[in-house]
Amino acid sequence: MGDDAPQHDSAEQLHQRIDSSRAHPARVYDVFLGGKDNYAADREAAAAALAANPRGYLDVRHNRDFMRRSVNYLTREAGLRQFLDIGTGLPTQENVHQVAQRIAPEARIVYVDNDPVVLAHARALLASGPQGATAYIDADLRDPAKILQDAASTIDLDAPIALGLVAILHFIEDTEAYDIVRALVDALPVGSALFLSHLTSDLNAEKIAKVAETYHERGFTFVLRSADEVRRFFTENGLEIVEPGIVPAHHWRPDHVADHDTDHAAAGRDEAYVASLDPIERTMYRDINDVTDDDINVYAAVAFKR
């Protein structure tokens, strides 16, 4: 592993980089997960997306739950002990290191994001257990060389690594997205894995098209890829997809565990209280197991480099 840890901006420098006037995908995601680290522009973007698809919050929460289940599988069953999570998003419950280190306390995790709000909160909240290691890299997915160079300070690039690209590639245009994944996978040794999720227009096309329009209006790149286009991220890199294949996120090895904390679950039984909340706050009290195939627009898959 490398000897030089990546350099971090100071808290003041991070604050200067924050543009609260424009929505950011990571902060919009945070709104849907009930986070507080977002701005009016992010909440307005989330509200527009929810108006376009009133059950679209299930995409966000099932995407997050796929991350939990895939990391659990990769740690417990596949025996991986290193994770590179790119496009981390704002810290919430059941982050990669919490899932992995609960099973293997020695697991080492590197988070990567380029939103200064994410970075500021990651340092404060993503604390590793004493036996493992957690690091945070300020980098853009479009610069895989920097990511790999900085990650080498925490993880061993010659040992198997689980690469996470969860709900991030739909913010990258076609040719560039495939080139980025190729560069990252090429650098990983045999035995490594890729866990990936991606929005698609294959499923419930009309609903997701309306959501995509709200994001395009706010200047986001937003590429909805078909199953065949998602499959290319694996097949073009010689990766072997494990069962059940590329499937809607709620069908990837479901364990039907509610993603509520106990406070939300208890409050959710008070329907009068829940009805008094604004539409996005109201979704926090809904059980994600109340889902049908008509609700999900996210593909998910896990594959190995053999």
Side-chain angles (χ1 to χ4, degrees):
M1 290 179 283
D3 295 325
D4 297 324
Q7 298 299 307
H8 296 306
D9 285 351
S10 68
E12 182 178 352
Q13 288 171 318
L14 285 174
H15 183 74
Q16 290 172 350
R17 286 171 50 191
I18 296 171
D19 181 359
S20 61
S21 67
R22 296 184 60 188
H24 187 284
R27 300 195 303 261
V28 175
Y29 193 70
D30 180 62
V31 174
F32 279 114
L33 291 174
K36 305 300 181 185
D37 303 306
N38 48 71
Y39 299 96
D42 307 308
R43 294 188 288 274
E44 188 273 334
L50 190 66
N53 181 11
R55 286 176 66 81
Y57 66 92
L58 288 164
D59 275 337
V60 176
R61 287 172 57 190
H62 275 282
N63 176 76
R64 186 76 186 184
D65 204 54
F66 159 71
M67 183 278 290
R68 175 186 65 81
R69 298 193 311 275
S70 60
V71 172
N72 183 77
Y73 160 75
L74 289 165
T75 311
R76 188 184 305 279
E77 297 186 38
L80 293 180
R81 296 295 182 264
Q82 300 192 116
F83 292 82
L84 178 58
D85 180 21
I86 305 179
T88 303
L90 280 147
T92 181
Q93 290 302 307
E94 295 298 271
N95 299 289
V96 170
H97 75 283
Q98 291 167 311
V99 178
Q101 290 179 349
R102 185 181 305 124
I103 300 164
E106 73 277 17
R108 305 176 76 84
I109 294 88
V110 173
Y111 292 105
V112 182
D113 212 296
N114 69 337
D115 178 45
V117 175
V118 171
L119 296 165
H121 286 83
R123 293 178 194 173
L125 299 178
L126 294 179
S128 173
Q131 293 175 258
T134 306
Y136 329 103
I137 295 174
D138 180 3
D140 194 299
L141 175 58
R142 295 175 180 84
D143 191 355
K146 174 178 170 52
I147 290 172
L148 292 164
Q149 178 181 341
D150 288 356
S153 297
T154 302
I155 57 178
D156 182 356
L157 298 182
D158 293 323
I161 296 165
L163 169 64
L165 297 172
V166 176
I168 179 102
L169 289 170
H170 44 246
F171 297 114
I172 307 291
E173 296 288 359
D174 280 343
T175 301
E176 188 177 14
Y178 293 109
D179 290 345
I180 288 167
V181 175
R182 184 178 304 110
L184 290 166
V185 173
D186 280 352
L188 303 181
V190 170
S192 294
L194 171 62
F195 58 108
L196 178 154
S197 64
H198 200 296
L199 282 166
T200 181
S201 57
D202 285 357
L203 313 170
N204 312 306
E206 184 177 348
K207 293 178 182 177
I208 195 61
K210 292 178 180 177
V211 173
E213 184 179 353
T214 69
Y215 287 127
H216 286 142
E217 289 171 351
R218 287 158 180 81
F220 293 175
T221 297
F222 208 69
V223 182
L224 300 171
R225 293 186 171 93
S226 68
D228 286 342
E229 290 169 325
V230 171
R231 187 171 287 106
R232 283 181 57 193
F233 290 117
F234 301 100
T235 58
E236 291 186 359
N237 293 296
L239 300 176
E240 180 182 315
I241 303 172
V242 300
E243 291 296 331
I246 298 172
V247 295
H250 64 308
H251 288 313
W252 198 89
R253 304 192 180 202
D255 57 15
H256 307 292
V257 173
D259 67 340
H260 286 60
D261 59 40
T262 53
D263 290 341
H264 275 88
R269 290 191 288 270
D270 184 347
E271 289 297 328
Y273 169 72
V274 173
S276 72
L277 302 174
D278 72 34
I280 291 178
E281 290 176 327
R282 205 174 298 151
T283 68
M284 296 300 106
Y285 298 88
R286 301 308 184 200
D287 185 350
I288 64 167
N289 292 306
D290 172 23
V291 62
T292 71
D293 290 348
D294 290 337
D295 295 320
I296 300 299
N297 305 278
V298 181
Y299 279 132
V302 173
F304 286 89
K305 187 171 183 177
R306 302 298 191 187

